[in-house]
Amino acid sequence: MNSLINYRCEGPLALIGLASAPVNALGQALREQLLEACERAAADASVKAIILHGEGSVFSAGADISEFGSPASFAKPDLPSLLTRLTELDKPLIAAIGGLALGGGLELAMACGYRVAEAGARMGLPEIKLGLLPGAGGTQRLPRLIGAAAALKYISSGEPIGTHRAQVLGLLDWVAPTADSLLETAKALALALIHRQAPGRPCRPCRPNWPHPTPGTALLPGYFADYRAANQSRWKGQSAPQRVVAAIEAACNLPLAEGLAREGELFKEAEASTESEALRHVFFAEREVGKLPGLDTGTSIRPVNRVAVIGAGTMGGGIAMNFANAGMAVTLLELRADALERGLALIRKNYETSVERGKLTSEQMEQRLALIHGTLDYANIADADLVIEAVFEELAIKQQVFRTLDEECKVGAILASNTSTLDVDAIAAVTRRPQDVVGLHFFSPANVMRLLEVVRGAATAADVLATTLKVAKRIGKIPVVSGVCFGFIGNRMLEPYSREAHRLLLEGATPAQVDNVLTSLGMAMGVFAMHDLAGIDVSFLVRESRREVLAHDPGYCKLADALYALGRFGQKTNRGYYLYEGRERKDDPEVVALAEKIAGELGIQRRVISDQEIHDRCVLMLVNEGIQLLDEGICQRSSDIDLVWINGYGFPVWRGGPMHYAEGLGLEHLLERIGHYREVLGGYGAMWFQPAHLLERLVASGKTGVERL
Ligand code: 3H9
């Protein structure tokens, strides 16, 4: 068996180094070897104290997430009983925390009697982000160390704790100034403990009922009930937060052994939940997403130090802010001085709002603003390494910009278009360097949304793709690579989803009914509320460019066209699918009347539509399109689609994205339902309810997951 532990003795100290790269995930093999090493040190009379540390830059990122849901997760020695055993050793056990101690990694450190960390280390219990709760004593030991209120705050948010705060709270005994001095500090602490014959575990006050930092003040009666009531709506659809609260409540009310047993029960329930399965799927999807055949560590990367953005509108300004936020200089180019001034003023206003909300200091705001330079002259961006065009969404206008960029920009510059639907190849074709052209589709607001669709044109060079993926990570985005097609991944799937929602209005549903079904599924917003927010005029313009391909469906988004003709553009005009008074949204009987009128003209029989039918038709069309995209090779893998819809369209992360959700419904069921609606919806059904060939092939071959075949 490979050695995952380095064991060495220095005088009276045993040093046990975790050596399971990259992050010392506490899988079964590491657990087994760690236990062996600790037993060896415990049995060796010459060893008087034990130091646990990570051999690389990380202490441990916790349990091995890939083991969850499989027997390996609880294979002996399981993490909870390993940690219980460590608490029984009668020699001082010191955790020397370098880099990170997350989840089971922090629980391991808390099972040690003493903890020292390097100054830059981060500690946390992020299990909730995986639909779990800490399951190896974290919910019981953290409240006993820092108080239940503080423990609840960190465990229910999953946010990391820095060393300074950790020391103030009582989680750390010592902080080493640098990573290099960590082991020496731990050794000095160990020798001091030996010298004063300190016990294996220090005698600390056990204070789970105390909301730190006010020792002596017991939690008020009803504390947990109030906490639940205050957060109920935020937790809608999720069970992990409830389990976290239950476990911490147990820490306050039960002796340690019973509290640990309760935590164990809750953890098992959480591990088996579809919510945790979905969130684990998303965790690995995020780590897979940048991996592409043909790109590897050997692919060269172009240096990107100077960035330029063309167009200082809302989108261009938001894109520029991303770079300034990451500490990169960026030049914003506009054609007219007043437009440039407006753009720069908007950027300042956005930053000022962040300062007002306490998310940024005034100093940070000024530093960021100082990185953004406005210009009216293409000559000032001639030496940019990356240029991102963010002008009006019209092919001819974008092509004109790219002709100019081709003339003005240095050889080797990456030329990117922020188009959301247009043909990147047609844009690249007007340049003499199509290999340097790529699509970078930011989502609005561009400085907030994490999704970035990276559109690979037919000629885009591998190093251009690799470089843009790297830059995307640098500015904190989740980059998903898409091939060229109408709408790329996200908007192409939005089209049939939205089309079906519109059709349902003609058949008898109301905007509120459709939106309620979708928000009950967990969508951040219903499709009609979303169109009202984005602008009915915007989707009208997209349809205008595609009338020919839509001509065979006379009812296609007819209601949306009618609203456009009435000047009801959505929130910006206070009227769209809904009526708006300020931020308040109201149903509008006029919209229903309009839907009735159009249905009458088209001969569509109106009827009562069930919520189930709304769910099925919208979701089926969304997912079917996703499967089709995979079959066409537009996207790399089905989990990439999940990331697009979670991060760009508000699909609930705890459902794992539309494709993961569809797999849960069952591929056979999807195929059967598509067939059902093709039958019952007559001519309309025959027109649109065509299963993707890949779906048919997957079902025929008995597959349960969406993959290329
Ligand atoms: C837990 O502990 C439960 C316990 O309470 C109870 C148990 C009974 N497991 O993200 P990166 C892999 S739940 C398995 O690209 P970074 C990752 O897949 C756990 N694998 O690097 C990737 O593999 P690959 C609680 C893991 O520097 C590679 O490591 N802990 C794990 O951007 C590098 O990862 C967490 O939730 C893991 N635990 O970020 C922490 N962690 O190269 C989860 C990482 O093949 N992890 N990998 O693609 C993280 O948040 C980030 O990975 C971390 C590093 C911040 C550690």
Side-chain angles (χ1 to χ4, degrees):
M1 191 196 304
N2 281 346
S3 179
L4 303 176
I5 290 284
N6 286 341
Y7 184 96
R8 66 195 163 96
C9 286
E10 285 185 20
L13 305 180
L15 283 97
I16 299 177
L18 307 182
S20 179
V23 293
N24 289 326
L26 294 157
Q28 194 277 334
L30 180 56
R31 297 196 300 267
E32 191 174 353
Q33 293 184 35
L34 176 58
L35 180 61
E36 264 171 34
C38 289
E39 296 293 9
R40 179 174 163 192
D44 184 342
S46 67
V47 170
K48 304 291 182 214
I50 306 162
I51 296 175
L52 281 186
H53 66 102
E55 285 293 346
S57 56
V58 167
F59 181 71
S60 168
D64 185 337
I65 300 169
S66 65
E67 283 186 351
F68 291 135
S70 78
S73 166
F74 274 84
K76 298 282 172 218
D78 59 72
L79 195 57
S81 35
L82 163 63
L83 300 194
T84 298
R85 172 68 191 124
L86 298 193
T87 62
E88 293 162 357
L89 301 184
D90 60 1
K91 299 175 184 182
L93 184 53
I94 298 140
I97 302 171
L100 290 170
L102 297 178
L106 181 58
E107 292 174 299
L108 170 61
M110 286 193 287
C112 298
Y114 305 86
R115 282 163 296 281
V116 47
E118 57 150 304
R122 280 183 301 142
M123 285 143 281
L125 294 172
E127 285 86 342
I128 197 158
K129 296 184 182 175
L130 297 168
L132 299 168
L133 63 152
T139 64
Q140 306 303 301
R141 296 197 177 100
L142 191 63
R144 284 172 166 81
L145 279 169
I146 70 172
L152 189 54
K153 173 179 158 189
Y154 287 110
I155 299 178
S156 64
S157 68
E159 291 308 316
I161 316 175
T163 44
H164 174 68
R165 186 90 194 116
Q167 200 174 15
V168 171
L169 286 169
L171 178 57
L172 285 179
D173 300 291
W174 210 261
V175 176
T178 61
D180 290 343
S181 59
L182 175 63
L183 263 191
E184 289 314 310
T185 309
K187 285 185 217 168
L189 176 65
L191 292 173
L193 291 170
I194 296 170
H195 182 70
R196 62 177 157 91
Q197 295 185 329
R201 305 188 69 73
C203 206
R204 296 181 203 267
C206 169
R207 48 189 183 190
N209 279 327
W210 293 358
H212 204 82
T214 326
T217 318
L219 290 178
L220 294 171
Y223 179 84
F224 290 104
D226 291 349
Y227 188 83
R228 282 192 183 92
N231 289 288
Q232 208 63 43
S233 62
R234 205 162 54 88
W235 295 339
K236 202 177 98 187
Q238 297 165 75
S239 55
Q242 308 275 7
R243 292 195 177 99
V244 162
V245 182
I248 297 178
E249 200 170 8
C252 293
N253 299 327
L254 299 175
L256 182 61
E258 286 176 38
L260 287 173
R262 178 76 187 119
E263 178 195 79
E265 288 163 11
L266 289 163
F267 185 85
K268 281 204 173 110
E269 282 171 27
E271 186 185 350
S273 67
T274 51
E275 172 186 334
S276 175
E277 198 194 347
L279 288 163
R280 284 166 0 225
H281 160 77
V282 174
F283 175 84
F284 287 113
E286 286 184 4
R287 272 132 199 102
E288 275 295 292
V289 68
K291 296 177 187 162
L292 291 179
L295 292 193
D296 53 35
T297 44
T299 311
S300 63
I301 299 286
R302 298 188 188 182
V304 174
N305 298 312
R306 282 174 297 258
V307 178
V309 177
I310 314 292
T314 314
M315 203 56 176
I319 294 173
M321 286 172 77
N322 279 297
F323 291 94
N325 294 347
M328 294 170 75
V330 53
T331 305
L332 195 56
L333 184 140
E334 254 300 343
L335 292 182
R336 292 204 336 261
D338 56 339
L340 180 60
E341 240 167 69
R342 261 200 316 277
L344 291 171
L346 183 63
I347 292 175
R348 175 170 279 279
K349 193 163 156 268
N350 286 339
Y351 277 132
E352 281 169 351
T353 308
S354 300
V355 172
E356 277 160 27
R357 291 187 182 155
K359 290 186 176 162
L360 213 62
T361 64
S362 306
E363 199 190 352
Q364 285 169 324
M365 174 179 83
E366 293 305 335
Q367 280 165 357
R368 292 178 193 195
L369 283 169
L371 288 168
I372 304 176
H373 305 278
T375 185
L376 299 171
D377 189 351
Y378 271 93
N380 288 332
I381 63 160
D383 63 350
D385 304 306
L386 167 66
V387 184
I388 303 171
E389 159 281 308
V391 302
F392 193 69
E393 183 77 358
E394 206 177 291
L395 186 61
I397 299 178
K398 289 195 187 278
Q399 283 176 325
Q400 190 47 47
V401 169
F402 272 77
R403 278 188 200 99
T404 313
L405 292 176
D406 195 23
E407 290 301 321
E408 301 286 340
C409 292
K410 70 175 184 186
V411 172
I414 296 176
L415 308 181
S417 170
N418 176 49
T419 178
S420 51
T421 47
L422 299 174
D423 182 346
V424 171
D425 291 334
I427 295 173
V430 301
T431 71
R432 287 158 297 180
R433 40 173 131 176
Q435 75 282 357
D436 294 341
V437 177
V438 67
L440 286 183
H441 178 206
F442 288 79
F443 285 68
S444 186
N447 53 317
V448 176
M449 300 287 280
R450 288 187 71 207
L451 177 64
L452 181 65
E453 280 182 327
V454 177
V455 186
R456 180 182 207 164
T460 306
D463 65 340
V464 168
L465 196 61
T467 306
T468 45
L469 289 173
K470 193 155 183 232
V471 170
K473 289 250 163 87
R474 202 164 146 196
I475 60 171
K477 300 288 176 196
I478 297 179
V480 180
V481 175
S482 168
V484 175
C485 68
F486 164 78
F488 315 127
I489 298 173
N491 281 342
R492 171 145 162 207
M493 288 173 68
L494 177 65
E495 191 272 328
Y497 168 77
S498 170
R499 178 195 71 223
E500 211 47 39
H502 278 91
R503 174 72 187 194
L504 284 158
L505 298 192
L506 298 187
E507 291 181 21
T510 66
Q513 188 194 2
V514 173
D515 280 0
N516 285 340
V517 170
L518 299 174
T519 52
S520 302
L521 179 68
M523 295 297 295
M525 225 182 239
V527 67
F528 296 114
M530 186 200 74
H531 280 302
D532 272 355
L533 181 69
I536 289 172
D537 50 333
V538 175
S539 37
F540 177 82
L541 285 181
V542 173
R543 279 195 302 284
E544 277 297 90
S545 63
R546 310 184 64 235
R547 290 290 177 201
E548 272 172 36
V549 263
L550 305 171
H552 62 298
D553 179 0
Y556 186 90
C557 291
K558 259 240 143 53
L559 179 66
D561 291 346
L563 293 175
Y564 174 82
L566 291 170
R568 298 181 62 131
F569 295 168
Q571 282 196 28
K572 62 178 104 167
T573 57
N574 291 329
R575 297 162 80 213
Y577 294 96
Y578 297 95
L579 291 175
Y580 295 86
E581 278 169 26
R583 287 182 155 224
E584 212 188 312
R585 189 170 71 208
K586 281 193 189 160
D587 295 343
D588 185 354
E590 270 183 37
V591 173
V592 177
L594 196 57
E596 279 168 5
K597 181 168 164 280
I598 296 171
E601 287 164 8
L602 293 166
I604 296 170
Q605 193 70 39
R606 284 175 67 83
R607 61 195 163 90
V608 174
I609 310 258
S610 72
D611 288 356
Q612 185 66 46
E613 181 173 345
I614 292 173
H615 164 275
D616 285 357
R617 287 174 61 179
C618 293
V619 170
L620 285 174
M621 288 297 92
L622 176 74
V623 168
N624 192 51
E625 195 70 23
I627 298 174
Q628 181 63 29
L629 279 172
L630 191 64
D631 205 16
E632 289 172 21
I634 297 295
C635 62
Q636 197 55 40
R637 53 184 81 80
S638 131
S639 61
D640 285 4
I641 297 177
D642 288 331
L643 293 183
V644 167
W645 268 73
I646 289 167
N647 294 290
Y649 297 83
F651 201 94
V653 62
W654 47 271
R655 290 205 192 270
M659 308 310 278
H660 183 81
Y661 178 63
E663 287 170 352
L665 295 176
L667 301 187
E668 212 174 328
H669 173 75
L670 293 186
L671 187 60
E672 184 278 319
R673 285 286 88 189
I674 292 176
H676 166 79
Y677 287 110
R678 191 172 58 237
E679 294 260 306
V680 299
L681 296 176
Y684 177 81
M687 193 161 26
W688 293 114
F689 280 74
Q690 300 293 342
H693 292 314
L694 176 58
L695 176 60
E696 292 174 320
R697 296 203 299 278
L698 286 167
V699 171
S701 53
K703 300 274 182 191
T704 54
V706 179
E707 58 183 285
R708 281 225 187 94
L709 268 188

